[in-house]
Amino acid sequence: MTDYAPLRLHVPEPTGRPGCQTDFSYLHLSDAGTVRKPPIDVEPAETSDLAYSLVRVLDDDGQAVGPWNPQLSNELVLRGMRAMLKTRIFDARMITAQRQKKLSFYMQCLGEEAIATAHTLALRDGDMCFPTYRQQGILVAREYPLVDMICQLLSNEADPLKGRQLPIMYSSKAAGFFSISGNLATQFIQAVGWGMASAIKGDTRIASAWIGDGATAESDFHTALTFAHVYRAPVILNVVNNQWAISTFQAIAGGEGTTFANRGVGCGIASLRVDGNDFLAVYAASQWAAERARRNLGPSLIEWVTYRAGPHSSSDDPSKYRPADDYSHFPLGDPIARLKQHMIGLGIWSEAQHEALHKELEGEVIAAQKEAESHGSLLDGHLPTAASMFEDVYKDLPEHLRRQRQELGV
């Protein structure tokens, strides 16, 4: 006999399944302009309310309101629109190319363009980003050549990585873009280490780390938070909560009943929860966190609340595990549409200008794709020579590998 019922486990369930509309009330939104902006030198424990609320600048009418309004110049706002739109067009063209079997694999960031682009524009040249596979907007915002990006996707003769990385796993030291890893969460601990090294050298450059909501369940995430807190590493820790890992809802990684931003507060790190589809809010929060890092005030963790509008990858069919029209009901809207509304309200933009920019950027992406495809694609077999497998490992090629290369005839 016992006074207790049998023990049981709680298995989180998504709030929407195929055939039914998602209930997004779990998001706990804040009205635009209502969340306070603390001073740069705030103590981490004093940001606990910011880890549960939601920093927003753009209201439903496209007006910039509240203390987080970054007061951007028209030039910077236009630059942001260009970067977001270019990223979206690039994604669309590359998805089509993948369906045409010109490349083997692709991952788009549809609906998340504001996060990488606005964040990058708030950083400085030389700051190092440690991205996941959905931050191509960093390279676009830093005006990295599209031809080089596409050659990497095509794994062709001009691939700067010589076919050694899965498509979309770019790498560019010059652009401050650390090599993407297919092993989740590795970037977090690497970024903290890089930031610590920058401080040890007496440099002024900071690091920016990226992770998805699902990958926060990896041990490297927690190790990174510990080291960042203990050594006050000059790093921004970005958690992109787009509500889904591959096919598992964010609650499976611990997002039910709390927030991912709150994990930062619990580790002694100043933390924010921010509307990731609000370009101005993303810029303002990124600028705030970057300033803390540069002034030796320690790391910041930012949870970007957004929605993965498309499939996880070109190999995924999201209609198998969530409603097909989910994104159209997502309460934070579309980042490009929201910034466009704001720009029109400022009198610096119009539907005609938007359409003209779309055509211009589409032409730019198409031209870059044609140039990249002239170096080959999966369809024509113009791949890096087999000799490249012997390169970039040893300073001086050992004799046994030299013999193997000769036997291969390359």
Side-chain angles (χ1 to χ4, degrees):
M1 296 293 292
T2 178
D3 296 330
Y4 300 99
L7 298 174
R8 63 181 182 275
L9 295 177
H10 169 66
V11 180
E13 282 289 328
T15 59
R17 285 292 193 185
C20 65
Q21 185 171 319
T22 295
D23 177 8
F24 284 108
S25 62
Y26 72 88
L27 283 174
H28 303 296
L29 306 181
S30 303
D31 291 334
T34 60
V35 175
R36 69 183 181 91
K37 183 178 182 180
I40 293 295
D41 60 352
V42 66
E43 288 296 321
E46 296 174 7
T47 64
S48 59
D49 62 313
L50 303 175
Y52 281 98
S53 54
L54 189 69
V55 174
R56 303 175 71 186
V57 173
L58 292 173
D59 64 17
D60 293 341
D61 297 319
Q63 301 296 312
V65 296
W68 285 93
N69 182 3
Q71 304 287 343
L72 300 184
S73 67
N74 291 344
E75 179 184 2
L76 188 52
V77 173
L78 288 167
R79 187 178 171 191
M81 173 57 77
R82 186 180 188 90
M84 282 201 295
L85 197 55
K86 191 178 193 177
T87 301
R88 181 167 294 187
I89 292 169
F90 180 83
D91 274 354
R93 292 290 306 182
M94 294 306 103
I95 281 289
T96 299
Q98 192 277 333
R99 299 307 189 211
Q100 294 171 337
K101 300 183 179 181
K102 293 179 180 179
L103 55 141
S104 61
F105 182 77
Y106 194 73
M107 301 182 79
Q108 60 182 340
C109 61
L110 183 63
E112 303 177 30
E113 295 89 353
I115 298 172
T117 55
H119 183 85
T120 303
L121 294 176
L123 297 178
R124 293 182 179 177
D125 291 340
D127 292 339
M128 181 62 77
C129 295
F130 290 74
T132 67
Y133 37 64
R134 229 178 290 278
Q135 276 79 53
Q136 51 266 55
I138 295 174
L139 290 174
V140 173
R142 286 186 165 169
E143 299 183 354
Y144 184 78
L146 293 183
V147 173
D148 289 353
M149 292 178 70
I150 300 173
C151 283
Q152 195 279 325
L153 296 172
L154 299 174
S155 304
N156 62 21
E157 293 173 332
D159 175 4
L161 304 184
K162 302 180 181 180
R164 295 171 180 171
Q165 276 276 44
L166 185 74
I168 60 86
M169 292 189 178
Y170 312 102
S171 176
S172 175
K173 182 178 181 180
F177 194 93
F178 195 82
S179 302
I180 295 176
S181 170
N183 297 317
L184 299 182
T186 58
Q187 293 89 338
F188 243 51
I189 191 66
Q190 291 163 350
V192 173
W194 192 96
M196 291 171 62
S198 184
I200 290 170
K201 293 188 296 184
D203 207 337
T204 59
R205 297 176 296 168
I206 65 174
S208 180
W210 298 83
I211 199 170
D213 52 278
T216 61
E218 295 281 348
S219 59
D220 278 357
F221 171 76
H222 303 279
T223 302
L225 265 58
T226 298
F227 272 77
H229 159 64
V230 171
Y231 297 100
R232 297 184 184 177
V235 61
I236 305 173
L237 303 168
N238 301 283
V239 178
V240 181
N241 181 5
N242 64 12
Q243 314 308 308
W244 291 91
I246 295 180
S247 59
T248 56
F249 188 55
Q250 55 96 27
I252 291 291
E256 184 182 52
T258 186
T259 66
F260 294 103
N262 192 48
R263 297 188 184 183
V265 177
C267 288
I269 297 173
S271 303
L272 305 173
R273 184 169 172 265
V274 181
D275 180 350
N277 287 10
D278 180 341
F279 181 89
L280 299 185
V282 174
Y283 186 96
S286 300
Q287 188 180 50
W288 184 86
E291 190 71 8
R292 280 183 58 84
R294 267 184 244 286
R295 293 184 180 276
N296 290 307
L297 295 171
S300 302
L301 185 147
I302 307 176
E303 176 185 349
W304 305 108
V305 179
T306 184
Y307 197 82
R308 194 193 77 211
H312 176 74
S313 73
S314 55
S315 301
D316 176 44
D317 179 6
S319 68
K320 300 295 185 182
Y321 53 82
R322 72 185 194 192
D325 63 345
D326 243 13
Y327 187 58
S328 63
H329 299 290
F330 186 62
L332 297 180
D334 179 275
I336 293 178
R338 289 176 66 186
L339 186 62
K340 180 176 73 169
Q341 182 188 27
H342 174 64
M343 293 167 66
I344 291 175
L346 291 176
I348 63 172
W349 205 236
S350 67
E351 292 289 352
Q353 287 174 298
H354 193 81
E355 181 62 27
L357 179 61
H358 191 285
K359 289 182 179 179
E360 175 195 335
L361 294 177
E362 192 168 44
E364 184 179 335
V365 173
I366 290 172
Q369 183 178 353
K370 287 182 179 178
E371 182 178 344
E373 288 180 2
S374 70
H375 298 288
S377 72
L378 287 184
L379 284 178
D380 54 31
H382 290 178
L383 306 176
T385 171
S388 65
M389 76 172 75
F390 297 96
E391 300 170 354
D392 305 323
V393 177
Y394 297 96
K395 179 178 181 294
D396 299 309
L397 196 65
E399 183 57 33
H400 72 285
L401 292 181
R402 196 185 309 278
R403 290 196 304 270
Q404 289 181 22
R405 180 173 178 172
Q406 291 173 344
E407 292 171 4
L408 190 61
V410 294

